[in-house]
Amino acid sequence: MGADPPHDYGVHAPPVAALLRAYGLPAQVVTHLGWDGLRAQIAAGHPVIAWVVGDLWAGTPVTYRAADGQQVTVAPFEHTVLVTGHTASTVRLINRGVVQVVPRWAFLRSWEVLGQMAVIWGEEPTAP
């Protein structure tokens, strides 16, 4: 945990969405979803899988170039949470199987590190 590629790292949204689709679930990868887009998904009854850093830490994105030349943005301690609700100042999420209510600013700061990467329900993002 906490390493950058090529060391053990984790997985980003595309393979997760592909696996969900293989199980027959409508899943789409989005980046830069934004607060309004996330709120719209939650309002539609669709939890959002969001990529954050650790336990909502600040982080610094790093560009990694794979052996095949492909570039990807990574961050040490990349992690996912399931966002299930919000208020004006908080975000409710499931993190490691535990429901947590966290400050909105902390969630947004950490979610921004990897470009607000998310897996959403459906073929197109729900309009804010």
Side-chain angles (χ1 to χ4, degrees), residues 26-41:
Q28 178 176 328
V29 175
V30 293
T31 56
H32 307 290
L33 179 61
W35 178 245
D36 288 340
L38 184 133
R39 288 178 41 227
Q41 288 293 311

Side-chain angles (χ1 to χ4, degrees), residues 99-120:
V99 175
Q100 299 175 328
V101 176
V102 300
R104 175 181 157 185
W105 67 264
F107 169 78
L108 292 175
R109 174 191 66 182
S110 192
W111 187 37
E112 181 59 37
V113 174
L114 290 169
Q116 298 176 337
M117 184 182 343
V119 171
I120 62 170

